[in-house]
Amino acid sequence: MFTLEKISRIAALGAAVWVSGCGGIAARSAQQGHDDAGAQAAAIADMPAAGVQYSIGATPGPAQVAAWNIDVQPDGRNLPAGSGSVAQGRTLYAQACASCHGQKGEGKPMDRLVGGKGTLNTAAPVKTVGSYWPYATSVYDYIHRAMPFNAPGTLSPSEAYAATAYLLYMNGIIPENAVMDARTLPQVRMPNRDGFVGPDPRPDVRNTACMEGCAR
């Protein structure tokens, strides 16, 4: 049976254990903080001083920069020399594109490229090169960069022009005798050219950021 004296002794023992435990935790926390500070100081000391040169690599030359500078703007800026016809594109498409996009651009297994005209305002929009893309130059840009899927970037500018011409023809945008190049491609007006708006119409993206004293 517990007496008042026994209860007092148990309470005192518990307090001693608790203080001892807290002391251990505090000691371990202090040691961890010391270790972390030491690691941080070592990492800072290991960082290179401003302006240090390691003498590795080389400044790229004009030819190397030009090899990467292949992006084409919507207005046709940076389109390369070369040209491609619908007929040339038909042959190329059968060889390098149809296995992914279908013989007539119907898709399966990859994206559909043809059709979808008039569906964008419906409950089941079909987004293809013909129905959705706003610029013919962007079609060229994407083909030249990323197609064919198994060998991206391997098409010559003329081959990319030809593939673009054939896609535009399949979508009924240019005639069968058309030839695409840096002059004619930017002149092609895509069906959904005016389907994109800018700047962003949402009001919150144009607000000036509040820095102090802001009311919620």
Side-chain angles (χ1 to χ4, degrees):
M1 187 171 180
F2 287 103
T3 63
L4 180 61
E5 181 180 358
K6 288 182 178 179
I7 294 173
S8 297
R9 288 178 180 177
I10 292 171
L13 179 61
V17 171
W18 182 83
V19 170
S20 176
C22 288
I25 292 173
R28 287 194 298 273
S29 178
Q31 181 62 42
Q32 182 64 48
H34 178 75
D35 293 344
D36 290 346
Q40 184 178 16
I44 293 174
D46 196 43
M47 292 176 64
V52 170
Q53 299 294 322
Y54 289 99
S55 299
I56 58 176
T59 301
Q64 291 174 299
V65 172
W68 285 95
N69 184 26
I70 62 172
D71 60 302
V72 174
Q73 301 302 307
D75 62 3
R77 280 176 294 168
N78 215 29
L79 278 170
S83 65
S85 68
V86 171
Q88 291 168 331
R90 180 183 284 109
T91 300
L92 178 63
Y93 184 90
Q95 295 172 346
C97 313
S99 60
C100 285
H101 297 286
Q103 294 296 325
K104 298 182 178 180
E106 69 275 15
K108 297 180 182 180
M110 306 303 284
D111 292 341
R112 181 175 175 177
L113 302 176
V114 176
K117 186 176 181 180
T119 68
L120 298 186
N121 291 326
T122 70
V126 178
K127 297 180 179 180
T128 71
V129 167
S131 69
Y132 185 70
W133 287 49
Y135 303 106
T137 50
S138 296
V139 180
Y140 172 93
D141 183 64
Y142 185 76
I143 291 173
H144 193 213
R145 291 170 178 274
M147 293 291 116
F149 180 78
N150 63 334
T154 59
L155 296 180
S156 69
S158 291
E159 288 173 326
Y161 278 124
T164 302
Y166 187 56
L167 282 181
L168 296 176
Y169 165 72
M170 283 199 294
N171 278 283
I173 298 172
I174 62 174
E176 191 171 5
N177 62 351
V179 175
M180 293 292 100
D181 57 26
R183 181 185 63 83
T184 59
L185 188 60
Q187 297 175 10
V188 175
R189 186 169 183 83
M190 302 293 279
N192 196 38
R193 171 65 181 84
D194 297 323
F196 294 79
V197 295
D200 194 326
R202 294 172 295 178
D204 57 311
V205 300
R206 297 194 303 272
N207 291 343
T208 301
C210 179
M211 304 305 293
E212 58 182 343
C214 308
R216 291 186 178 273

